[in-house]
Amino acid sequence: MGAFPDLSLEASKLLWSASLGLAALFFFLTFFPFAQKGGEPPARKMAQPPNPQGYTKSLGAGKAIAVLTSGGDAQGMNAAVRAVVRVGIYLGAKVYFVYEGYQGLVDGAENIKEATWESVSMMLQLGGTVIGSARCQDFRTREGRLKAARNLVKQGITNLCVIGGDGSLTGADTFRAEWSSLLAELVKTGGITAEEAKKSNYLNIVGMVGSIDNDFCGTDMTIGTDSALHRIMEIVDAITTTAQSHQRTFVLEVMGRHCGYLALVSALACGAHWVFIPESPPEDDWEDHLCRRLTETRLGGSRLNIIIVAEGAIDKNGRPITSDDIKNLVVKRLGYDTRVTILGHVQRGGTPSAFDRVLGSRMGVEAVMALLEGSPDTPACVVSLSGNQAVRLPLMECVQVTKDVTTAMNEGRFEDALKLRGRSFQNNWNVYKLLSHIRPPSTKSGYTLAVLNVGAPAAGMNAAVRSTVRIGLIHGHRMLAVHDGFEGLAFGMVEEISWERVGGWTGLGGSKLGTKRTLPKKYFEEISANINTFGIHGLIIIGGFEAFTGSLELMEGRTKYEELCIPICIIPATVSNNVPGSDFSIGADTALNTITTTCDLIKQSAAGTKRRVFIIETMGGYCGYLATLAGLAGGADAAYIFEENFSIRDLQMNVEHLTEKMKTTVKRGLVLRNERCSENYTTDFIYNLYSEEGKGIFDCRKNVLGHMQQGGTPTPFDRNFGTKMGAKAVAWITGKIKECSRHGRIFANTADSACLLGMRKRSLVFQPLSELKEQTDFEHRLPKEQWWLKLRPILKILAKYSIELDTSEKAHLEHITHKRTSLESNI
């Protein structure tokens, strides 16, 4: 990392860069198709009818698909394989496993085997790839590709789905380009008949990127990256406790020979004091700056230092910077007790995160669609993630841009390399520098901001508070922490909070400030008095639905209490993910992973006890987000939610479905129920019904997960989401305060002076609360439109229900250069 002198000019540049760039979030945020259509739907509605132009089950009739995993393994590959197999079979195609990657394609015989629905059961929770992966020199030769082509033709396979890195996908494109000449040579040598060649006259190729490094250009997130971040953060959190005990400095080396994504995002997620990445080598005097930075943190009261280094870190001259180099420097210059931890292949291992399971599943569905739609003129494509939408990109365009990054670094054009990595990577870099290397200025702005948590606790709240406080101090503001929400603001539970006070908060669950559901209306007089007493010029409220409704009440109170006429910004934070105006809320990802992990353990408990069905109750109020996404990530047979009405006939159909399932080799069932999906069909009712109807066929168990879903250490997503939301909120409210300042007084009573910061499609946007009020079902505490409802058909198809797959929002082929230009112009 370069040196960032403590100058106000540098701070201003970084603040401006961060505020421009924060529109594109952390990873990805997810890939799911987003639907916002006009009209006023009722609060509760039936599932949308099938798309009249949707695909039927005959789409894949007479076709065959082969799926293989190649290169380094990545968590989530199994979810992608499972989706390809099941959706392919669902659409009438034959699907084949290719074991051991391209080597299996060359060797053929038992390495190419037809898959069944049951053969991919219990794969979701497994790391690595169950069909194997291998480096294959044979496939690099024409002779090897001739053998591979013959093996595919003999099986009648003309569609190939490759899950791997850029090398694996490049090999697939070469194979496709040579296909006609390979077949001609095979016919000439008698390897295949002319009739067989005619039936297999072209080969369709679709790729999915499986790589923990997230080093493939054209996609915001690759399969396996989120899980690798989970492994890294687990280790960082564990190391932090021992480092504090002994006042140590830890140097952690993470994977990333050519890409610093894992190192960078890990540094953001744990608040590391320094990070080294290959895309941005440090300045020539980095040794002095690093030692000065570590000394400052110790003098500030910190008992530890965390330095993260990517394995491919280099200096400006291209010389490697190793973890041992850094350790020796710190020991020699500062005399600190310093240890090195090299994480290695532990980052590839373990159970895939909920995100990677859903990402792999969604991309697998899209890959099958792309294959079955393909024609001889369709270029090989890769299924990619852009914001929260799935897109198809020409494979070789993405490969070329990926190679361009390496070329730029080799030539010392590091600024170009950062740009080629994409806007999300640049945003992460700018926010990291801002939070870790810019000191609060000596001159103050004269403004005071207060931050509070409202509603139920959610993992990631503390990361948002830390970011809000530190970015506010960098702006020169006086920062106040309000304890216990609106109630604390009414009772004067307010204190000034410093830079050092919020150190180490990113990895803490719950709410350090304390949070309550109390709404402010009955305390208007006390709240107004305290806003005046403490000189508060702006409020940043981090919380759930109560934060939204409470802020609406504050807006109403402006007509009577002039002190309430200050800018207000809401950052959504709730496990329920039910705040209007945002696709995601801080804390929902952590809760989703908790549920998914619990479902894994519960399913595993049935491994020795066959024919058992588990009924799991999730939180969420009336919102079925957790039940639906956990159902998709956990491989549930059904997920009952409030938004999709169901009757006793639906329950009967589900019981019959499970009865048929028990006749197969898979004798386990998982049913999720959102806590308020039905007033009468309670968890106990469903449990009793299934128990009664399943007598002699299967038995039942029920689990109510309860408040464990609100606890735990925040996931990397929630830490980074909270960090970026806090930074963005402070930048906005600073501008709004200046806009509303008149003769030294703040007066804000316009609709756009009270906004919610939310993630919509591909960007973060500020939306006036008055507009969001019209989009809200207040009785059931829900947005009237929810994007994730589009995922429910996928859940049902993967559970083998006979329904129509809605493809009304299928991805179309885009071009990476056009996509990148359009995204940058919108930010």
Side-chain angles (χ1 to χ4, degrees), residues 199-264:
K199 289 181 179 178
S200 303
N201 62 341
Y202 69 92
L203 178 70
N204 282 329
I205 296 284
V206 171
M208 286 182 271
V209 189
S211 167
I212 67 167
D213 292 333
N214 201 33
D215 57 354
F216 191 82
C217 294
T219 183
D220 291 348
M221 200 69 167
T222 57
I223 296 169
T225 304
D226 186 58
S227 299
L229 287 168
H230 275 251
R231 298 296 89 75
I232 295 170
M233 295 318 304
E234 288 167 6
I235 294 166
V236 170
D237 289 345
I239 281 175
T240 297
T241 58
T242 186
Q244 286 175 329
S245 300
H246 297 278
Q247 298 191 62
R248 284 179 176 152
T249 295
F250 267 91
V251 182
L252 280 81
E253 182 180 303
V254 302
M255 284 184 167
R257 190 167 298 132
H258 304 293
C259 180
Y261 185 87
L262 289 179
L264 175 56

Side-chain angles (χ1 to χ4, degrees), residues 461-702:
M461 275 183 166
N462 293 321
V465 172
R466 171 186 175 271
S467 174
T468 299
V469 169
R470 289 195 167 181
I471 298 297
L473 292 171
I474 289 170
H475 275 277
H477 304 326
R478 174 172 167 254
M479 298 302 297
L480 301 179
V482 180
H483 297 274
D484 293 345
F486 290 123
E487 194 173 300
L489 187 57
F491 296 155
M493 299 168 65
V494 182
E495 64 172 335
E496 189 166 351
I497 191 164
S498 66
W499 182 282
E500 291 77 16
R501 175 76 179 279
V502 295
W505 279 26
T506 52
L508 300 178
S511 167
K512 290 282 287 182
L513 297 183
T515 180
K516 290 190 175 181
R517 297 178 182 271
T518 308
L519 295 177
K521 197 167 189 177
K522 61 181 178 180
Y523 295 120
F524 275 169
E525 193 167 326
E526 293 85 351
I527 288 174
S528 300
N530 280 324
I531 288 175
N532 184 57
T533 299
F534 291 99
I536 297 171
H537 300 107
L539 286 176
I540 294 180
I541 303 169
I542 304 166
F545 202 83
E546 289 84 0
F548 173 66
T549 53
S551 297
L552 284 173
E553 289 185 2
L554 291 179
M555 287 187 69
E556 293 173 8
R558 286 174 169 179
T559 56
K560 188 175 180 182
Y561 298 93
E562 188 176 316
E563 293 82 359
L564 300 180
C565 295
I566 57 175
I568 299 168
C569 181
I570 302 170
I571 297 175
T574 169
V575 302
S576 301
N577 199 34
N578 64 333
V579 180
S582 188
D583 295 355
F584 304 99
S585 297
I586 296 168
D589 186 68
T590 303
L592 179 60
N593 276 276
T594 298
I595 299 168
T596 303
T597 301
T598 305
C599 287
D600 288 349
L601 297 174
I602 287 170
K603 287 170 69 177
Q604 190 179 57
S605 74
T609 306
K610 303 299 184 183
R611 299 192 304 177
R612 178 164 289 174
V613 175
F614 292 92
I615 316 294
I616 312 294
E617 182 185 294
T618 68
M619 294 180 94
Y622 288 101
C623 181
Y625 175 84
L626 289 179
T628 297
L629 271 291
L632 195 54
D637 296 280
Y640 300 117
I641 64 170
F642 173 80
E643 294 91 341
E644 189 175 283
N645 201 2
F646 61 97
S647 66
I648 194 67
R649 288 179 293 278
D650 297 302
L651 293 171
Q652 180 184 2
M653 181 184 69
N654 296 149
V655 172
E656 292 171 353
H657 179 268
L658 284 168
T659 300
E660 289 300 310
K661 184 178 180 180
M662 296 302 163
K663 296 176 182 177
T664 70
T665 57
V666 185
K667 301 183 186 301
R668 294 167 299 276
L670 181 66
V671 175
L672 275 67
R673 179 191 178 274
N674 169 245
E675 60 184 345
R676 292 192 176 179
C677 67
S678 172
E679 182 179 351
N680 296 310
Y681 297 140
T682 63
T683 300
D684 285 337
F685 177 92
I686 293 174
Y687 165 71
N688 291 331
L689 176 68
Y690 274 60
S691 297
E692 181 65 28
E693 294 297 318
K695 277 183 178 177
I697 303 167
F698 58 81
D699 62 354
C700 286
R701 297 289 187 274
K702 66 176 177 179

Side-chain angles (χ1 to χ4, degrees), residues 279-280 316 408 412-421 426:
E279 291 87 349
S280 185
K316 290 282 188 183
R413 296 183 289 109
F414 297 107
E415 287 189 10
D416 291 340
L418 275 173
K419 291 177 181 177
L420 287 167
R421 281 285 181 226
Q426 294 177 75

